Amino acid sequence: MENTAENKKIVLSAIQPTGTPTLGNYLGALKNWKKMSAENDCIYAVADLHSLTVRPEPQQLRRRTLDMYAILLALGLDPEKNIVFVQSHVPQHSQLAWILNCCTQFGEASRMTQFKDKSEKHPENVNVGLFTYPVLMAADILLYQADYVPIGEDQKQHLEITRDIAERFNTVYGETFKLPEPYIGKAGARVMSLQDPRQKMSKSDPNPKGFISMLDDDSVILKKIKSAVTDSEAKVRYAEGKDGINNLMAIYSCCTGKSYEETEKEFDGKGYGDFKAAVAEAVIEELRPFKEEFARLTADKAYLLECMTAGAEKAAHRAQRTLNKAMKKSGLFML
Ligand code: ATP
Ligand code: MG
């Protein structure tokens, strides 16, 4: 049977243009975006509205938004078959977010760990946007009636609150939103910082040695992995207390498909130097096709803008259907 649009699952995800995506973003989320794109009805966004919560420099935000768009296409996403767009081009996201704000309790939003983490990181700018971030994220997802949301482990709590908000709206006003499921891969769901393996790798980390950017040169990747924090045991094995090595083993496994057991055998009797060189090589090979495609795409800005415009139109059309439903159900006077 032909896989028609009607029986495909709807997949929605987004990434903030807060910097070049890291290996963590790639293994935790973007790799799955690509994997799911052929079989499903996929909708992917550059979440520029979310990134305003950390007040980026305006010119930098504009440049990073275009770059992030090119990065998504360079993953191999097909802008004809999938919807790839920039969040602020589709005003329905902000409109639904307001309605959902009124269905979210102050107490439940206060329990979000990302709010606590980011407030600590930016104590000079703890804005209300940072607080309602998960509500905007709920709007992103619910507008498209998504079945699955491919995310890293760190966003699991936000997906749970999305489901709670949707369920509450449906109970109060009647069935409106589909309850989405997270899609979190096994390995790679939480790639840790190379410098502090107890913290997640983040593209907004002020120390670039902590993360590998998807566009880092091969020599930089090698250098960063060589200087990754490990332990003094000098034995490649996956075990409690070996956070640095566990992290490198997870990265190696994602890039090569080898299990932890196979890796332990492969490096039996060898030191961390050999292992790190192999991890670096695997990462470099994994990112190579993406980097080549990115270079090709950024040379064609007209094409990127054309795809961006078409993506926004398609997304807005879909989003408006759900927004109308939510407005009507909640009693807003419709013309
Ligand atoms: P920021 O520090 O600006 O929040 P970020 O690296 O956390 O940047 P996001 O744009 O917030 O990136 O998240 C994009 C996607 O990447 C989300 O699905 C998120 O769960 C995933 N992700 C982020 N960091 C990691 C990580 N260290 N390991 C696996 N997945 C991750
Ligand atoms: Mg984040």
Side-chain angles (χ1 to χ4, degrees), residues 80-96:
E80 298 277 330
K81 288 201 189 113
N82 310 136
I83 300 180
V84 188
F85 71 104
V86 175
Q87 186 187 27
S88 67
H89 296 169
V90 181
Q92 288 84 352
H93 289 245
S94 315
Q95 290 174 278
L96 183 64

Side-chain angles (χ1 to χ4, degrees), residues 74-147:
L75 286 171
L77 301 178
D78 180 343
E80 298 277 330
K81 288 201 189 113
N82 310 136
I83 300 180
V84 188
F85 71 104
V86 175
Q87 186 187 27
S88 67
H89 296 169
V90 181
Q92 288 84 352
H93 289 245
S94 315
Q95 290 174 278
L96 183 64
W98 178 256
I99 297 176
L100 299 180
N101 264 323
C102 301
C103 280
T104 307
Q105 296 305 299
F106 189 86
E108 66 184 339
S110 312
R111 286 193 289 275
M112 297 295 111
T113 55
Q114 179 179 283
F115 173 68
K116 291 180 201 160
D117 291 349
K118 293 212 168 171
S119 309
E120 272 168 30
K121 266 197 199 156
H122 306 274
E124 74 300 337
N125 182 21
V126 183
N127 58 75
V128 176
L130 204 56
F131 187 70
T132 61
Y133 182 112
V135 184
L136 180 59
M137 181 165 157
D140 299 338
I141 297 166
L142 300 177
L143 269 179
Y144 301 95
Q145 307 287 356
D147 294 286

Side-chain angles (χ1 to χ4, degrees), residues 14-16 18 24-25 28-29 118 133 150-152 154-155 188-191 200-204:
I15 184 161
Q16 301 185 76
T18 40
N25 300 128
K118 293 212 168 171
Y133 182 112
I151 42 171
D154 63 307
Q155 292 298 324
R190 194 173 181 81
V191 177
K200 86 166 188 81
M201 186 181 279
S202 262
K203 60 176 134 61
S204 58

Side-chain angles (χ1 to χ4, degrees), residues 151-269:
I151 42 171
E153 190 77 43
D154 63 307
Q155 292 298 324
K156 202 170 155 212
Q157 198 186 26
H158 286 169
L159 203 81
E160 280 158 13
I161 198 176
T162 297
R163 289 172 59 93
D164 292 343
I165 295 168
E167 212 164 7
R168 188 170 306 127
F169 188 100
N170 288 349
T171 307
V172 175
Y173 296 115
E175 204 57 31
T176 307
F177 300 118
K178 193 185 280 171
L179 265 49
E181 302 279 347
Y183 179 91
I184 303 177
K186 271 186 230 100
R190 194 173 181 81
V191 177
M192 309 311 280
S193 158
L194 298 177
Q195 289 301 311
D196 179 1
R198 284 159 311 165
Q199 287 214 24
K200 86 166 188 81
M201 186 181 279
S202 262
K203 60 176 134 61
S204 58
D205 185 344
N207 179 7
K209 281 176 142 184
F211 60 82
I212 289 169
S213 137
M214 286 177 73
L215 292 170
D216 274 346
D217 283 338
D218 296 356
S219 60
V220 175
I221 296 178
L222 181 64
K223 219 157 124 194
K224 285 182 177 176
I225 293 185
K226 286 243 157 165
S227 61
V229 168
T230 50
D231 53 70
S232 54
E233 192 195 34
K235 191 169 166 52
V236 178
R237 63 185 188 103
Y238 198 97
E240 190 146 341
K242 289 173 69 77
D243 298 338
I245 287 294
N246 293 350
N247 191 35
L248 292 177
M249 286 181 77
I251 292 172
Y252 191 63
S253 164
C254 283
C255 295
T256 60
K258 289 178 189 166
S259 68
Y260 294 154
E261 217 181 356
E262 285 172 287
T263 306
E264 284 170 3
K265 267 200 203 118
E266 186 179 349
F267 294 96
D268 190 24

